[in-house]
Amino acid sequence: MRAATPTYAHAWTALLLTAIAGAVDGAGFLSLSQQFVANQTGNAVLLAVSLSGELTGRYDGLSPIGPLWSLLGFSLGAVLASFATRRHVLTSFGVPLLLVTEVVVLGLAGLAQSFTLSIALAAFAMGVQSIHAARIGLAGVSTTVLTGTLIALFTNLSGGRRGLRQARLQAGVWAVYLVAAGLGSVLAHAVSFSAVCWTAAAVAAAMAVAAFVEAHPRPFAWRP
């Protein structure tokens, strides 16, 4: 089955969610002892390398604790979000449930004083976000794991007009992730990891409000 051509609304959603993931990932890598909270492929490598060091007595300064908590947090968030929306019930009374959950958990990650709890909560939020992106049908785009997006980009370059349209979105997702990761690291260095989490939560909250307004256009319509 061919992937649906992305709409403008889906394109903006993909770019904003990717920006959130990139900023939190960049900040987490800089502030949380070089741990990823969105890029779980990188965490799998970090976990494997650190465990091999533990088993062989090699000292390379890596600990399996951070990657393990990140993987567990991400997996738990993704599993719970998947079960919560197993019938694609993404909203309740027009409120986007997964986006609201992401806002709350990112806010808690910013408040957490524990290193491992910050990692687990931020990763949990990214797991929830990944399911939200999958449920709304962002074909060929993952907002947290970009290797598949890169492959889809190169595949779509030879796919005609529709393929090129999708390729532009996928290229944009890559560019946004890179820029957001850089900005997230700058903000984390200048202020704190908490500031990045709260900024990301604010962006997700704005998206949730926009989705709510879109679901309830009449109460917000202007009347002369």
Side-chain angles (χ1 to χ4, degrees):
M1 185 174 63
R2 296 181 67 179
T5 302
T7 65
Y8 284 112
H10 278 190
W12 277 108
T13 299
L15 294 174
L16 288 173
L17 291 178
T18 301
I20 290 173
V24 176
D25 235 3
F29 191 81
L30 188 70
S31 303
L32 303 177
S33 298
Q34 299 184 337
Q35 310 300 323
F36 295 108
V37 294
N39 177 15
Q40 295 305 318
T41 304
N43 267 330
V45 174
L46 291 174
L47 179 60
V49 171
S50 60
L51 286 176
S52 70
E54 294 282 342
L55 293 173
T56 60
R58 182 187 74 242
Y59 179 76
D60 46 25
L62 295 176
S63 170
I65 301 300
L68 185 60
W69 276 102
S70 183
L71 283 165
L72 289 174
F74 187 96
S75 299
L76 182 60
V79 167
L80 292 179
S82 180
F83 275 103
T85 58
R86 61 188 179 278
R87 295 183 180 179
H88 288 219
V89 181
L90 289 171
T91 61
S92 178
F93 302 105
V95 177
L97 299 175
L98 297 186
L99 276 179
V100 171
T101 301
E102 181 177 0
V103 171
V104 172
V105 178
L106 280 174
L108 291 174
L111 291 173
Q113 299 299 313
S114 166
F115 166 78
T116 53
L117 186 57
S118 292
I119 293 175
L121 287 172
F124 185 100
M126 294 300 99
V128 171
Q129 175 177 300
S130 294
I131 297 301
H132 177 74
R135 290 294 196 227
I136 63 176
L138 296 178
V141 172
S142 170
T143 62
T144 53
V145 182
L146 298 187
T147 303
T149 302
L150 186 64
I151 293 171
L153 164 61
F154 294 143
T155 301
N156 284 325
L157 287 177
S158 59
R161 183 174 297 177
R162 170 181 278 184
L164 289 176
R165 196 175 304 163
Q166 291 175 327
R168 285 197 296 269
L169 172 58
Q170 289 150 358
V173 163
W174 255 90
V176 165
Y177 185 91
L178 290 173
V179 172
L183 292 176
S185 67
V186 170
L187 182 58
H189 177 73
V191 186
S192 66
F193 176 71
S194 296
V196 177
C197 286
W198 294 329
T199 302
V203 174
M207 295 176 67
V209 170
F212 180 81
V213 172
E214 184 180 5
H216 298 81
R218 290 184 180 178
F220 298 94
W222 179 79
R223 292 182 178 86

